[in-house]
């Protein structure tokens, strides 16, 4: 999937064009781009970078794919907690906090583990 995706972060763009990150954020927040397949919010083209133990950075898109996969394959009687997802990702070398895992899970529209329980 997106294993090779490197994050495009506002900070990098700001550095390249020698402008403040707040300017880049403000400009991209109010702009849309027309692609042949539809209109995209410019801000959606940026992602956060998640560091790995090897010192590389991967796109948050990759992490969200991993979280989606973990939840889709969980035991529905005992869904995985955000804490457990965090531990799995940390074990795989991704440096990520439980708060960030929770944020990404919500962005993927998955409810909390207790609300995913199927009897």
């Amino acid at each position: 999937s997106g294993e090779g995706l490197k994050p495009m972060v506002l900070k990098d763009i700001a550095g390249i064009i020698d402008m403040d990150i707040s300017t880049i954020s403000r400009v991209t927040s109010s702009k849309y781009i027309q692609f042949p397949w539809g209109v995209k919010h410019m801000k959606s083209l940026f992602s956060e970078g998640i560091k790995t133990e090897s010192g590389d950075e991967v796109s948050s898109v990759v992490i969200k794919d991993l979280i989606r996969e973990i939840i889709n394959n969980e035991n529905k009687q005992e869904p995985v907690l955000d804490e457990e997802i965090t531990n799995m990702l940390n074990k795989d070398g991704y440096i990520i906090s439980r708060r960030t895992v929770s944020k990404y899970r919500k962005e993927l529209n998955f409810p909390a583990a207790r609300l995913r329980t199927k009897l």
Side-chain angles (χ1 to χ4, degrees):
S1 63
E3 302 288 318
L5 280 182
K6 294 279 181 252
M8 180 166 82
V9 291
L10 294 172
K11 183 181 60 165
D12 296 343
I13 303 299
I16 292 167
I17 63 174
D18 196 30
M19 292 185 93
D20 195 76
I21 189 167
S22 62
T23 306
I24 310 305
S25 180
R26 192 172 56 250
V27 168
T28 57
S29 289
S30 58
K31 303 285 185 295
Y32 292 83
I33 301 173
Q34 170 112 37
F35 290 103
W37 57 86
V39 176
K40 291 267 302 170
H41 191 220
M42 188 182 268
K43 195 81 160 198
S44 72
L45 301 176
F46 292 91
S47 71
E48 295 173 74
I50 300 292
K51 288 237 180 282
T52 63
E53 286 174 353
S54 62
D56 295 327
E57 238 184 333
V58 295
S59 170
S60 59
V61 173
V62 173
I63 302 297
K64 287 178 185 176
D65 282 346
L66 292 170
I67 293 171
R68 181 183 297 112
E69 195 175 309
I70 290 168
I71 293 175
N72 284 338
N73 295 319
E74 72 189 358
N75 173 348
K76 300 303 175 202
Q77 280 83 45
E78 288 181 48
V80 277
L81 300 168
D82 291 346
E83 186 77 31
E84 295 169 315
I85 295 172
T86 305
N87 293 339
M88 289 174 183
L89 293 172
N90 290 164
K91 208 175 284 168
D92 286 344
Y94 299 103
I95 301 167
I96 190 169
S97 69
R98 189 209 43 81
R99 262 180 82 170
T100 304
V101 167
S102 297
K103 180 176 107 176
Y104 291 172
R105 175 187 47 73
K106 287 176 190 149
E107 288 174 10
L108 291 166
N109 294 317
F110 283 112
R114 60 188 167 74
L115 300 175
R116 295 196 311 269
T117 305
K118 302 264 189 300
L119 299 175

